[in-house]
Structures are given as C-alpha cells and as structure tokens.
Amino acid sequence: MNTFADRAIAYYNTLQAPVNLPLGIGIMNPYQLTDVQQIVSQFYSTFYSDNRPRVFVMGINPGRFGAGVTGISFTTPQNLRRYCGIANSLRDTPELSSRFIYQVVDAFGGAGAFYGKFFLTSLFPLALTKDGPRRDDGRPGGPKNYNFYDDRATTNALWPAITETVRKQTSFGYDRRVAVCLGRKNETYLRRLNEQVGFFDRIVTLDHPRYILQYKAKDVPVYLERYIATFHECVETV
C-alpha cells in the first residue's frame, strides 16, 4: 500500500513549473535537481512512511532561501541537518521563516513529533521571484522573494495551479476537519479557495513566521506560545 511518503515523493519529484507567469516574475523549481530529489525522498521516508492523516499547515509560497533551495517547506539546509537529521551539502541560507518554524518544531517535541501530526506546505509549491529596482549604475537589481498574491495578474495566472496543488497534496493523507493558515493576507486566498472547492471544514490563522521575526521579534515568546497552543488544539480537535 502506498504511504503518505510515497505519494509526496512522487508528487514533488515530478513537479513541473507553470509557464504562464506574467513578464518579470521568475520561478524556482529545485525538484529538478538530483540533490533535492534525494533530500525529498529521505525527508518523507523518515517522517511520513505511514498512512496517518496530517493536519495541513499552509503558507503562501516558498522563499528562495528555504524550500526554494531544499524542497522542504520552511526548511533551510542547516535546519534540515540540525533538526531533521538529514545530511546535505547545500550551502547554508538565511531564512527568517525557517528560523521561527523550527523553534516551533523544537517546542512541540522535535521533528518526529511535529511531522507525525502536521504537514507543512504552501498554497503554491514553488518559490517566486521578481527583480529588484535597478542599481545606481543601471544594472538590474537582484531577485527578491515574491508572493503569488502580490499582483492580480500573478494570482490569476497561478490560481488553477494553486487549486490543483492543494487538491493533489490532500490526496497524500489529510484530516479535512481543520487547517492552519500562516499569514493574515494568505487567509483571504485560502478561504476563497476553500469556498470554491471545500477542502477543509475549518481554518484557523496564525501570523506568518516572517512577519513575526521581521516586525515583532521582541514578542517571539508570545507568538511561539500561541503557535504551540493552536497546534495542540488542532491535534485534540482531530
């Protein structure tokens, strides 16, 4: 019988990027890389080789220094090694969201306990980028993280892919009774999707990890407690 891991590995390691993005929007597909395919296989085989339904915890789309590099949601190469026990030769990357998420994972009891209950993912599975403003010397600015909802054209272009992403990922094995949305603006789009398709009975929303560390760093203990309480409540609910 196929497990959650089998279904997830097959999905990610054959994932193709949409080709209908607006001009100027870039996309990163790390799943085409052999090193990332091996990481994906090891990660899901380690934490998801069963058929237990998970509570979905859904972000926006990956950052270019997190899953845009490792293929694992909210996970940098260094956190993959430190918290998940998965060796890799990818260079360490800065990613605020990953830093906070793994404080949550650690506080919940570690990667085994956390991933045994939850599936971290995003409405759109690939990192998006947009070139920054031109430099003073006229050269193009470097790529910046971009969200699928940052402009209407990108949202509209990706909406069918977002719908299909969530549909396919729920087939891995999920409990439909509750989902956790990361990000207040992201909530608007997850609720719109849920009204259209009806994936989840209930959605609860938490402030996005990047927002917390960027704007509310002094209150991290408060937000950490809020995350843990919400996750425990979700597990008790299901």
Side-chain angles (χ1 to χ4, degrees):
M1 180 184 296
N2 283 349
T3 63
F4 190 115
D6 293 327
R7 292 185 285 271
I9 292 166
Y11 169 74
Y12 285 113
N13 285 348
T14 57
L15 188 59
Q16 298 295 312
V19 296
N20 63 331
L21 287 169
L23 186 65
I25 306 301
I27 196 163
M28 299 171 64
N29 186 357
Y31 302 105
Q32 296 177 327
L33 303 175
T34 301
D35 286 353
V36 172
Q37 291 177 356
Q38 292 172 348
I39 287 169
V40 166
S41 295
Q42 186 175 352
F43 177 85
Y44 285 100
S45 295
T46 299
F47 297 111
Y48 292 90
S49 286
D50 54 65
N51 278 299
R52 295 196 308 272
R54 264 56 171 202
V55 174
F56 275 40
V57 182
M58 309 192 74
I60 306 161
N61 47 260
R64 69 192 195 282
F65 293 137
V69 174
T70 64
I72 306 299
S73 292
F74 291 96
T75 305
T76 57
Q78 61 269 33
N79 285 342
L80 200 60
R81 293 189 290 266
R82 178 179 177 183
Y83 294 98
C84 302
I86 296 178
N88 64 86
S89 59
L90 302 174
R91 68 178 182 85
D92 291 353
T93 54
E95 177 63 77
L96 290 178
S97 295
S98 183
R99 190 190 311 171
F100 181 80
I101 282 293
Y102 276 92
Q103 290 182 57
V104 175
V105 169
D106 198 37
F108 195 83
F114 182 82
Y115 290 121
K117 301 289 186 181
F118 300 99
F119 173 52
L120 273 176
T121 186
S122 299
L123 268 71
F124 183 68
L126 298 173
L128 301 173
T129 62
K130 187 175 184 178
D131 286 341
R134 285 190 173 273
R135 300 183 175 94
D136 292 341
D137 61 6
R139 291 183 300 160
K144 306 293 183 184
N145 281 333
Y146 203 68
N147 298 319
F148 73 81
Y149 56 55
D150 282 344
D151 73 85
R152 185 175 297 179
T154 299
T155 305
N156 291 342
L158 291 179
W159 197 250
I162 288 169
T163 305
E164 189 62 15
T165 291
V166 179
R167 189 189 309 279
K168 286 185 176 179
Q169 291 185 346
T170 56
S171 74
F172 300 168
Y174 84 120
D175 194 307
R176 64 167 297 125
R177 285 177 284 181
V178 64
V180 181
C181 178
L182 302 185
R184 301 293 172 180
K185 189 170 182 180
N186 193 37
E187 179 184 14
T188 300
Y189 296 89
L190 179 53
R191 290 195 182 277
R192 179 192 299 175
L193 178 66
N194 205 47
E195 288 170 2
Q196 293 174 353
V197 187
F199 289 118
F200 308 103
D201 294 341
R202 185 166 67 97
I203 295 168
V204 295
T205 302
L206 293 165
D207 289 298
H208 197 279
R210 184 176 62 249
Y211 166 82
I212 294 168
L213 287 192
Q214 189 168 352
Y215 299 107
K216 301 289 184 179
K218 68 180 186 302
D219 297 321
V220 162
V222 175
Y223 284 100
L224 183 59
E225 184 176 336
R226 189 174 300 164
Y227 262 66
I228 295 299
T230 299
F231 287 161
H232 278 299
E233 186 272 334
C234 288
V235 171
E236 291 164 5
T237 297
V238 302

